[in-house]
């Protein structure tokens, strides 16, 4: 388990802080967006797939994401390994960011994105769908895989709209939450009872 050698949640918070300091320094010389903002076409600055996940648009954005990460990250890390936690966090963050810039460009001019919200929504989804109560309810109703996915999509849409605000990457939030719900239902990160070793 991850708690033997340190907390991946705390490690991620540390990375947030280091990246925020580097962002501040690079903004002084005008290269912050070049290094951290995920924007189309991705192949021009592929490193931003990763750096954008750990970057933030300001102190308020950093604090909000840090608080949410503490709440959901500490719950998820108890069930998995450090490596799986970090891999899940960065992968869902990347997928959420790509969804945001790809689908968001269909509704208007292409815009860049940064922040860990998509990954944090994935952690929240994992907690919501990967607990005993949710598993018991879903098993009891014997919903097919398609109906469960539909339920997750509807839940993600409701939560996304309820937490939305101007300037928020709603598509990234939605994508992250759906990914987390599906992963939580599958127990993708769980290492308890010998699962997924």
């Amino acid at each position: 388990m991850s708690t033997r050698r340190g907390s991946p949640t705390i490690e991620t918070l540390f990375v947030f802080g280091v990246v925020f300091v580097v962002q501040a320094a690079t903004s002084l010389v005008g290269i912050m967006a070049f290094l951290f903002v995920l924007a189309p076409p991705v192949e021009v600055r592929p490193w931003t797939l990763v750096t954008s996940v750990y970057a933030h648009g300001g102190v308020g954005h950093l604090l909000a994401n840090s608080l949410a990460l503490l709440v959901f990250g500490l719950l998820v890390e108890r069930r998995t390994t450090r490596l799986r936690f970090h891999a899940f966090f960065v992968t869902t963050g990347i997928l959420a960011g790509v969804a945001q810039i790809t689908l968001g460009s269909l509704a208007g001019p292409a815009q860049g994105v940064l922040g860990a919200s998509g990954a944090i929504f994935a952690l929240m989804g994992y907690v919501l769908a990967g607990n005993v109560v949710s598993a018991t309810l879903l098993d009891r109703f014997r919903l097919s895989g398609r109906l469960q996915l539909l339920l997750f999509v509807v839940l993600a849409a409701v939560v996304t709209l309820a937490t939305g605000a101007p300037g928020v990457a709603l598509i990234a939030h939605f994508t992250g939450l759906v990914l987390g719900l599906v992963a939580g239902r599958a127990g993708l990160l769980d290492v308890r009872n010998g699962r997924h070793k």
Side-chain angles (χ1 to χ4, degrees):
M1 299 290 245
S2 61
T3 55
R4 287 186 210 141
R5 295 185 189 159
S7 166
T9 300
I10 301 304
E11 292 166 355
T12 304
L13 288 171
F14 179 76
V15 174
F16 282 3
V18 170
V19 168
F20 195 72
V21 169
V22 174
Q23 280 182 261
T26 58
S27 69
L28 296 174
V29 292
I31 61 170
M32 193 283 291
F34 176 77
L35 294 175
F36 296 103
V37 176
L38 177 63
V42 174
E43 56 274 5
V44 172
R45 295 179 293 145
W47 58 86
T48 61
L49 286 165
V50 174
T51 60
S52 65
V53 175
Y54 299 96
H56 291 87
V59 173
H61 189 206
L62 174 66
L63 292 176
N65 275 351
S66 296
L67 179 61
L69 174 61
L70 274 172
V71 171
F72 298 109
L74 291 173
L75 292 171
V76 172
E77 78 176 38
R78 298 176 70 205
R79 303 169 62 173
T80 193
T81 66
R82 168 189 271 150
L83 179 61
R84 287 180 187 188
F85 181 94
H86 287 301
F88 182 75
F89 189 86
V90 74
T91 301
T92 57
I94 289 169
L95 292 173
V98 168
Q100 179 68 41
I101 64 170
T102 304
L103 299 176
S105 67
L106 299 176
Q111 295 185 351
V113 67
L114 51 77
S117 302
I120 293 167
F121 269 72
L123 292 173
M124 176 175 39
Y126 199 91
V127 169
L128 289 173
N131 64 67
V132 175
V133 174
S134 295
T136 302
L137 284 172
L138 289 170
D139 290 343
R140 182 174 177 96
F141 289 113
R142 295 184 180 154
L143 300 175
S144 69
R146 287 183 182 172
L147 280 176
Q148 287 182 44
L149 181 58
L150 178 63
L151 176 66
F152 291 159
V153 167
V154 170
L155 176 62
V158 169
V159 170
T160 299
L161 293 174
T163 59
V168 171
L170 293 178
I171 296 168
H173 290 185
F174 172 82
T175 303
L177 189 53
V178 170
L179 291 171
L181 289 165
V182 171
R185 177 65 176 140
L188 182 69
L189 301 175
D190 291 0
V191 292
R192 289 184 182 168
N193 301 325
R195 291 174 70 186
H196 303 284
K197 286 189 175 180

